[in-house]
Amino acid sequence: MHRPAVHRRDPRLEILTEGIEDVIPGATPAYLTVTVTETFPGAPGPDGGPRTNTWTGTPEGLAQRQFTRLYGRPRTGEPRSPLAQAEDAKRARDILGEVGALMSAGAALESAPWYPCRPGDIVHLHYEAVGDVPLIPARGETYIVGDAGDGLMSLRLLASSAPPTGETGDGEAGCFASEAADCPVYEMWFEAGPHRLTIVRDGRPVHIGGAR
C-alpha cells in the first residue's frame, strides 16, 4: 500500500504553490517563473511602448506572498523528514542532495545504538497540529514491534489519538503497520522522520525524537 509522505511544511502553502505551477500543465516546476505586469494606459515608456511595472518570481515566492496575506508568515527552520528533504532536492534538480538526504538518513538509522529493533519495542509517532486554529489537532500513534518469524518483525498499531474518521491529513491511522519486515520502523523513519519518533525498549526510551 502506498503511504503518503509526512511533511512538517504547512500543506496550505504546498497547495497554493502547486496551484500556480499547474497553470502550465506538465511544466517542470524548477523551470517556472511568474511575471505580474501592471500596464499604465496612455503613458508611454522609455521605449515608446506602454509604461509598465513588473514583478517576477518563482511560483513558491508568489504562493508565500498569498499565504502570508491569508494566514501570516509560514513556519520556517523546522525539521524535515528524509523523504521530504529528498523531494525538495528532486524538485530543485539537485540529484546529489536527493541521494545524500536518503543515504544520510539510512546511515543514521543503522548506526543508532538501539538498532535493530527488537520484539517488544514500543514506537510512538507524533503528528504536529495543522493550521493555526488548528484545523487538525496534534495527535499520536503507538505501535509495538513483534516477532514475525524467519528473522522478520511486525509492527502493530496499539492506539491512536487521531479522529475516528481517519481524516488526519497524513493518511489513515496505522498506515505504518507492517506484517513482516527486516526493519519495521524503516518507512516511518524515512517518511515521518526520526524527529517524530520515540522508541521505548524494556521500559526505557532509547530514541527521543524532537527532544527540546
Side-chain angles (χ1 to χ4, degrees), residues 85-179:
Q85 293 176 44
E87 289 177 344
D88 287 343
K90 183 176 182 179
R91 282 192 291 268
R93 303 181 70 82
D94 179 6
I95 185 63
L96 294 179
E98 180 183 357
V99 174
L102 298 176
M103 291 185 65
S104 296
L109 173 61
E110 295 178 4
S111 63
W114 49 266
Y115 181 87
C117 291
R118 300 176 188 171
D121 285 353
I122 300 294
V123 183
H124 299 278
L125 171 60
H126 171 71
Y127 291 98
E128 290 78 14
V130 176
D132 301 324
V133 178
L135 298 176
I136 300 174
R139 57 213 180 275
E141 296 176 359
T142 303
Y143 296 81
I144 186 170
V145 177
D147 185 352
D150 297 325
L152 302 177
M153 287 171 283
S154 63
L155 191 65
R156 179 168 58 90
L157 180 69
L158 290 179
S160 171
S161 61
T165 60
E167 296 176 356
T168 64
D170 295 282
E172 293 187 1
C175 68
F176 289 105
S178 174
E179 294 184 0

Side-chain angles (χ1 to χ4, degrees), residues 5 7 15 37-38 47 57 61 76 92-93 121 136 170 177-178 193 211-212:
H7 299 274
I15 291 170
T37 303
E38 177 186 20
D47 59 354
T76 60
R93 303 181 70 82
D121 285 353
I136 300 174
D170 295 282
S178 174
R212 298 291 188 268

Side-chain angles (χ1 to χ4, degrees), residues 5-40:
V6 180
H7 299 274
R8 289 176 64 100
R9 185 186 186 192
D10 195 306
R12 296 170 297 180
L13 180 56
E14 292 188 342
I15 291 170
L16 288 171
T17 301
E18 291 170 1
I20 297 169
E21 293 170 347
D22 289 344
V23 169
I24 302 179
T28 302
Y31 296 162
L32 287 174
T33 58
V34 179
T35 300
V36 180
T37 303
E38 177 186 20
T39 302
F40 299 91

